[in-house]
Amino acid sequence: MEISGRIMLTNINKELLDELKKLSEDNLIIDLDKIDQILENYDIIDLINHLPEILPITITNKIEEINSEYETGSDEFKKNDIDLILNILKICEIYLKKTAFNEDLKFIYPVAIIFYHLQVKTECLSIITEYNTFSNIKKLIFEFLCNLKETYELPEDFPHIVKISHENYIKGIKNEDLKLVYEEYIDKNKGNFPENVFISFLVRILLLEPDNYIYFLKSIKKHFILIKYICMIENKVNNEIIEAIIRLEDKWIIIEYLRQIIKYTNKKNFGESEILLVSTMFEKLYSIDEIFFINGIILFLNYENKVLFGKIIGRALANINNEELIGKLLDQRDICIDLIEIYPNFNLGLDYEAKLNKSMLKSMNDHKKRNNQPNNIFWDIILSSLIKFNEPLASFLAEKVFIKWENFLENLWKSMLIPNDFIGTEFNNIIIYYFILLLKKDESSFLKLLNEKLDDIINYKSYWIYYTSNKRFIPLTYVYAMSYSWINVHKHVIHNKILNDKLLFLLNDECMFLSLFNQNHTPNEFLEIEKNFKSMNF
């Protein structure tokens, strides 16, 4: 058999299809009788709950080997590999016909397992079978899924700890606890709890018919417990489905759809129109259940796709336009972790002390040097979205964050915690934005605050005591942040001798450099402050 070039396992090309038509059932290398014997022992619900392996282990191992070659860039598969693929696809063709003829979806189970192992797209089903056959199969799937009310059971041989986790999952659904459902079950057990490939296969086929899929969502509302399989969207944003889900007003369906987009979507393929569309789902979720909305944000902050999530939620917050909601978000410890309240004389321990790290306060436009902590990126993008789409809400956010930040630093000053460098938080750029707004609105108040903080630093004479000396990092953090707001506004040169003298003293205080940094030359942060304030003409 001559098939040139590389076989794309995610598609079925014309050459492969031509060879498939020539292949006779009598020449198959896999024994169909053994597959039929396995199927005889199960009905479709049993197949869903137990997922028996339908292919000989030697065949599945060979498929994995072929897939491995494909992933590593093999230019062309061997003839034996192609023969095996043709045999497997021929089995799919046979069992698709059996499914339609018997009107029993258990016969499509071998196809589901094969497609799972071979990693072939469900769209290829319509290529390897006749149109009428496939249409009848889609009707069977639609009717079956719309009436499926059974709870998925774990196989008997699963570890006890996974079964306990599954019980917590059911409990989480009933108690509307996102943490139990996702963090403690679906995400946590991804290595031990396999996707139910049969249900996923059926749902993906249903997705080929958007109208049927939308009706399916309506039918499962309120009773279908397998939320993991409600929205097998395969990282696609479908306008029809999103609009249908919004009309359903089911928060579990919304949260699962959003989860799959945020966790798995490649942000490079996500444009402004998709961001706007998905943000409307967050808006709908908020209108249904504010607590669920907030808990959803906490959940999604655990995922790596912070940039995309920040853009989506930033657009949603801009459209919701609710100052009270912003306040509630900032009161959530899991969302606003860097500004947790510190009580005087209370040591939070090493874990939190580790967060008092070197500040990465940078220019609003200095993306390359910006702190690479996930939450820092998230809040930067939130701020950027609000400035672009709802500037008054951006100002409100900055004011609320500044109040928390100021209280945080004040309590840190009174506490037993000892900072050992400039104090950075996830809200660095929001603080700079606050000072930018203050500088534009009331320059005299800005300069007054700057003067006070310089006094706090200079008048602290206890250089020989480490504890008291290092407390000066707190007012130094103010001065550092304010210097970046100054350079962003590009203020005119001012001739303020008092401020100039204090800044000069600060930037040449070798005793302080030695006390705080164990060096007698000017630290880089002080050089940045000098550079940013150079228009003051000192």
Side-chain angles (χ1 to χ4, degrees):
M1 175 176 50
E2 296 292 334
I3 296 182
S4 60
R6 183 176 181 173
I7 297 175
M8 300 297 292
L9 294 187
T10 52
N11 292 291
I12 298 177
N13 57 34
K14 184 179 183 300
E15 292 169 307
L16 197 64
L17 186 61
D18 289 341
E19 293 295 331
L20 181 64
K21 292 177 180 177
K22 300 175 185 176
L23 185 63
S24 168
E25 292 184 28
D26 298 331
N27 297 326
L28 292 177
I29 60 176
I30 298 175
D31 190 348
L32 297 185
D33 290 337
K34 290 185 177 180
I35 295 178
D36 289 335
Q37 288 173 9
I38 294 174
L39 292 178
E40 284 179 6
N41 297 323
Y42 296 92
D43 62 19
I44 187 167
I45 299 301
D46 290 332
L47 289 171
I48 289 173
N49 286 332
H50 296 93
L51 297 176
E53 183 53 69
I54 207 77
L55 299 175
I57 187 66
T58 54
I59 299 298
T60 56
N61 287 342
K62 186 59 181 176
I63 291 175
E64 294 301 322
E65 183 182 323
I66 292 173
N67 284 333
S68 177
E69 289 181 26
Y70 170 74
E71 290 175 357
T72 55
S74 175
D75 292 330
E76 187 173 346
F77 289 120
K78 303 171 186 176
K79 180 181 182 300
N80 290 341
D81 294 340
I82 296 173
D83 287 341
L84 176 61
I85 293 171
L86 286 170
N87 270 263
I88 290 173
L89 292 178
K90 191 66 177 183
I91 292 172
C92 290
E93 181 185 37
I94 292 168
Y95 279 97
L96 286 170
K97 290 179 180 178
K98 282 190 176 184
T99 302
F101 179 79
N102 293 285
E103 296 186 348
D104 189 344
L105 284 177
K106 82 174 186 178
F107 290 103
I108 206 174
Y109 178 75
V111 185
I113 299 301
I114 288 170
F115 267 52
Y116 171 74
H117 285 301
L118 201 57
Q119 300 176 19
V120 180
K121 293 182 179 179
T122 50
E123 287 90 336
C124 295
L125 286 169
S126 60
I127 300 175
I128 62 176
T129 189
E130 297 175 354
Y131 174 81
N132 290 337
T133 298
F134 192 45
S135 295
N136 292 335
I137 290 172
K138 285 187 287 187
K139 290 178 183 177
L140 289 173
I141 292 173
F142 174 66
E143 293 172 1
F144 172 73
L145 289 177
C146 287
N147 292 296
L148 180 62
K149 295 181 173 63
E150 283 75 8
T151 301
Y152 172 65
E153 300 174 4
L154 289 177
E156 294 180 0
D157 59 348
F158 262 52
H160 177 69
I161 190 171
V162 177
K163 292 182 178 179
I164 295 298
S165 182
H166 183 261
E167 292 175 4
N168 287 333
Y169 163 73
I170 303 301
K171 181 180 178 181
I173 294 287
K174 293 178 179 178
N175 296 336
E176 298 190 344
D177 188 333
L178 288 175
K179 184 177 178 66
L180 274 180
V181 171
Y182 288 106
E183 291 184 30
E184 298 298 325
Y185 183 66
I186 291 179
D187 292 329
K188 183 177 181 179
N189 291 313
K190 61 183 179 181
N192 296 317
F193 176 66
E195 177 182 302
N196 190 304
V197 296
F198 195 15
I199 293 181
S200 300
F201 178 74
L202 298 178
V203 173
R204 286 190 173 95
I205 293 176
L206 203 62
L207 268 170
L208 299 176
E209 300 282 345
D211 290 341
N212 282 348
Y213 182 72
I214 291 167
Y215 190 87
F216 160 65
L217 290 179
K218 293 178 181 178
S219 70
I220 62 163
K221 187 172 181 284
K222 301 302 182 187
H223 72 253
F224 191 81
I225 203 164
L226 290 175
I227 63 167
K228 186 178 180 184
Y229 310 109
I230 286 175
C231 305
M232 304 303 297
I233 59 172
E234 298 180 321
N235 308 339
K236 296 177 182 177
V237 178
N238 185 300
N239 293 31
E240 291 180 274
I241 292 176
I242 286 180
E243 290 171 2
I245 290 176
I246 289 175
R247 290 196 299 272
L248 286 176
E249 298 194 354
D250 187 297
K251 56 192 176 186
W252 280 107
I253 295 179
I254 292 176
I255 206 77
E256 172 58 14
Y257 196 104
L258 288 170
R259 184 187 75 93
Q260 293 194 33
I261 290 176
I262 291 167
K263 188 168 185 179
Y264 300 113
T265 298
N266 184 343
K267 60 181 179 292
K268 293 181 181 179
N269 300 325
F270 223 81
E272 286 297 323
S273 59
E274 286 84 3
I275 289 170
L276 178 60
L277 187 61
V278 176
S279 71
T280 60
M281 299 190 74
F282 268 109
E283 294 172 43
K284 187 63 179 181
L285 183 62
Y286 171 73
S287 70
I288 296 172
D289 190 328
E290 182 183 73
I291 295 176
F292 218 71
F293 172 86
I294 293 173
N295 288 338
I297 292 177
I298 294 172
L299 170 69
F300 298 145
L301 277 173
N302 293 323
Y303 301 150
E304 294 181 0
N305 213 343
K306 298 294 190 301
V307 173
L308 177 60
F309 179 40
K311 289 180 179 180
I312 293 171
I313 200 65
R315 190 64 183 270
L317 290 173
N319 292 339
I320 293 171
N321 192 27
N322 188 314
E323 293 181 353
E324 185 179 352
L325 174 60
I326 296 293
K328 289 180 179 179
L329 290 176
L330 292 175
D331 286 338
Q332 296 293 320
R333 176 171 180 156
D334 291 329
I335 296 177
C336 190
I337 192 169
D338 273 9
L339 298 183
I340 182 175
E341 188 173 359
I342 294 177
Y343 297 97
N345 303 316
F346 179 72
N347 194 323
L348 290 177
L350 294 176
D351 287 344
Y352 195 80
E353 285 189 49
K355 296 188 71 65
L356 301 180
N357 56 353
K358 188 178 183 66
S359 174
M360 297 295 290
L361 293 172
K362 296 295 178 184
S363 164
M364 291 286 288
N365 298 317
D366 192 2
H367 295 289
K368 293 182 180 179
K369 297 181 180 179
R370 184 170 294 164
N371 190 335
N372 197 34
Q373 291 181 352
N375 274 19
N376 188 212
I377 294 173
F378 174 73
W379 281 106
D380 282 354
I381 295 172
I382 292 288
L383 176 63
S384 177
S385 296
L386 292 182
I387 291 174
K388 184 176 181 180
F389 299 109
N390 192 331
E391 199 165 354
L393 198 61
S395 300
F396 177 82
L397 171 66
E399 291 173 7
K400 293 289 290 185
V401 167
F402 178 76
I403 292 172
K404 292 181 74 70
W405 184 75
E406 195 169 42
N407 289 337
F408 165 76
L409 293 181
E410 182 179 344
N411 288 330
L412 180 59
W413 181 276
K414 299 174 183 176
S415 75
M416 298 298 292
L417 291 173
I418 305 173
N420 58 9
D421 213 322
F422 287 82
I423 301 161
T425 73
E426 61 193 298
F427 297 96
N428 292 339
N429 288 319
I430 296 181
I431 297 302
I432 295 174
Y433 181 65
Y434 171 83
F435 284 130
I436 288 174
L437 295 177
L438 177 62
L439 190 53
K440 288 180 177 180
K441 181 181 179 181
D442 189 351
E443 181 181 308
S444 62
S445 294
F446 177 93
L447 296 176
K448 180 181 178 183
L449 179 61
L450 177 61
N451 186 63
E452 291 173 357
K453 297 308 172 184
L454 289 171
D455 284 341
D456 288 341
I457 299 166
I458 294 170
N459 294 333
Y460 229 90
K461 297 296 184 182
S462 304
Y463 297 133
W464 58 278
I465 302 177
Y466 173 79
Y467 171 76
T468 54
S469 174
N470 277 42
K471 287 291 185 179
R472 283 175 298 171
F473 277 119
I474 296 171
L476 276 169
T477 297
Y478 272 89
V479 176
Y480 193 31
M482 295 176 82
S483 77
Y484 272 99
S485 64
W486 184 272
I487 196 173
N488 270 280
V489 176
H490 303 295
K491 296 299 293 183
H492 56 276
V493 174
I494 62 172
H495 301 280
N496 186 317
K497 188 176 186 308
I498 295 176
L499 277 176
N500 289 347
D501 289 346
K502 290 178 180 178
L503 281 166
L504 277 173
F505 180 83
L506 172 70
L507 297 170
N508 292 279
D509 190 348
E510 292 185 4
C511 291
M512 181 168 61
F513 302 158
L514 189 61
S515 172
L516 297 180
F517 298 97
N518 195 30
Q519 63 186 53
N520 55 16
H521 58 274
T522 308
N524 290 335
E525 289 82 3
F526 285 74
L527 294 175
E528 291 176 42
I529 292 172
E530 180 180 19
K531 178 182 177 182
N532 293 340
F533 277 131
K534 65 181 179 180
S535 62
M536 281 185 140
N537 197 32
F538 56 83

